[in-house]
């Protein structure tokens, strides 16, 4: 499949949440508010050339606006599929193309930095509208990764690997995830995703995982 890639450069993200930004700005009328609800932000980013990193006939890959790691992207189908719940077997080839495009991007980034490790997958209960697959490096070094909910959404089973979603669809013909069960995972105690050590708070966790990243880089350069 023909892919178009942009030569965009990673810049320091502005991690201020849309809610905090809204509080600082004058509020528009309620009808305007409805048409630009924050949960629809991915639609706007798909149309923003500064956000798009690669695209083809069926998918668009964008930068995550609030990246939770050094490299964090979202692969979206051009077709507006609302969520995992709306998938059926007819979507299998599309999901495989999304997976392949995620892997393609990873390989490009890994060619520049051999220490990078990635996962690609879906949040069991996402906050943003329309289907999107995360492609995220496993360093989790980012000022936007701020709290337990962020951490657990990428390091517990709340993060469902893209390959598992494809298998579920192949076997069951649908992807049915128990929202309540998965949302409980967001409150689990903090645990390092590499060595499984329990961490008392976010600052300790962040300096602990930074050490794992440093040793991965050292190993990759030897
Ligand atoms: P989730 O819905 O939980 O799968 O996660 C949605 C992801 O979208 C998060 O990682 C956010 O940082 C990211 N995000 C939120 N708003 C935007 C936006 N306007 N453009 C790009 N990414 C966004
Ligand atoms: Zn550890």
């Amino acid at each position: 499949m023909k892919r178009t890639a942009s030569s965009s450069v990673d810049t320091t993200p502005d991690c201020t949440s849309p809610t905090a930004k809204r509080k600082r700005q004058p509020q528009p009328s309620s009808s305007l508010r409805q048409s630009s609800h924050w949960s629809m932000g991915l639609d706007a980013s798909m149309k923003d050339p500064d956000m798009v990193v690669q695209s083809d006939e069926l998918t668009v890959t964008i930068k995550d606006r609030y990246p939770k790691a050094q490299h964090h992207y979202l692969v979206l189908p051009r077709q507006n599929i609302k969520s995992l719940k709306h998938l059926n077997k007819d979507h299998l080839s599309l999901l495989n193309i999304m997976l392949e495009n995620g892997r393609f991007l990873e390989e490009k980034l890994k060619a520049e930095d051999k220490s990078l490790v990635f996962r690609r997958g879906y949040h069991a209960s996402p906050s943003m509208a329309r289907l999107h697959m995360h492609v995220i490096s496993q360093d989790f070094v980012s000022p936007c990764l701020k709290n337990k909910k962020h951490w657990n959404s990428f390091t517990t089973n709340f993060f469902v690997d893209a390959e598992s979603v494809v298998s579920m669809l192949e076997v069951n013909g649908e992807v049915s995830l128990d929202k309540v069960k998965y949302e409980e995972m967001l409150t689990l105690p903090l645990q390092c995703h590499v060595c499984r050590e329990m961490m008392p708070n976010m600052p300790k966790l962040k300096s602990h995982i930074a050490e794992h990243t440093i040793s991965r880089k050292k190993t990759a350069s030897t």
Side-chain angles (χ1 to χ4, degrees):
M1 177 155 311
K2 189 170 169 292
R3 284 189 195 93
T4 313
S6 93
S7 57
S8 62
V9 189
D10 282 342
T11 46
T12 310
D14 169 8
C15 300
T16 317
S17 72
T19 324
K21 274 190 187 137
R22 268 198 317 279
K23 277 185 195 150
R24 287 194 207 139
Q25 286 164 4
Q27 292 301 293
S29 71
S30 65
S31 59
L32 266 177
R33 245 195 333 262
Q34 270 168 16
S35 65
S36 60
H37 190 265
W38 62 265
S39 67
M40 304 302 288
L42 302 185
D43 287 72
S45 292
M46 284 173 81
K47 294 177 194 122
D48 178 351
D50 289 339
M51 295 297 282
V52 174
V53 294
Q54 67 183 22
S55 63
D56 59 23
E57 295 91 323
L58 296 173
T59 75
V60 179
T61 304
I62 60 172
K63 297 179 210 167
D64 192 295
R65 193 178 285 283
Y66 311 101
K68 307 301 185 296
Q70 277 171 348
H71 301 279
H72 188 181
Y73 299 93
L74 303 172
V75 184
L76 300 104
R78 286 190 191 275
Q79 183 190 350
N80 191 348
I81 300 167
K82 284 203 179 105
S83 68
L84 291 171
K85 241 184 7 223
H86 295 82
L87 291 172
N88 60 51
K89 278 197 173 174
D90 293 341
H91 296 115
L92 271 170
S93 66
L94 177 63
L95 287 203
N96 278 316
I97 289 166
M98 289 167 68
L99 197 44
E100 195 190 307
N101 288 350
R103 287 198 189 111
F104 180 81
L105 180 59
E106 288 173 29
E107 291 310 318
K108 221 165 78 173
L109 295 163
K110 284 203 272 195
E112 288 163 24
D113 179 353
K114 289 190 179 53
S115 74
L116 291 173
V117 176
F118 284 91
R119 274 180 82 189
R120 59 208 90 81
Y122 299 84
H123 279 161
S125 175
S127 53
M128 298 298 280
R130 77 182 290 157
L131 188 71
H132 52 278
M133 182 187 81
H134 294 262
V135 175
I136 182 162
S137 59
Q138 297 298 293
D139 49 83
F140 296 111
V141 171
S142 169
C144 300
L145 185 108
K146 291 180 177 168
N147 55 45
K148 182 187 267 192
K149 192 174 162 191
H150 290 159
W151 178 253
N152 284 336
S153 73
F154 288 99
T155 60
T156 66
N157 291 336
F158 186 87
F159 188 86
V160 187
D161 283 310
E163 290 83 351
S164 307
V165 166
V166 168
S167 307
M168 281 180 220
L169 205 51
E170 275 168 353
V171 175
N172 306 323
E174 61 171 2
V175 182
S176 169
L177 302 171
D178 178 349
K179 207 173 143 136
V180 175
K181 183 186 103 183
Y182 281 95
E183 284 184 357
E184 277 169 11
M185 294 173 189
L186 297 176
T187 63
L188 286 169
L190 296 173
Q191 186 172 25
C192 171
H193 65 314
V194 179
C195 68
R196 314 311 301 177
E197 190 177 331
M198 302 308 294
M199 292 288 138
N201 54 45
M202 282 306 288
K204 290 239 164 66
L205 171 70
K206 290 190 92 167
S207 49
H208 175 89
I209 58 172
E211 291 300 321
H212 284 302
T213 300
I214 291 166
S215 50
R216 236 193 334 261
K217 280 190 192 299
K218 270 193 199 145
T219 311
S221 67
T222 52

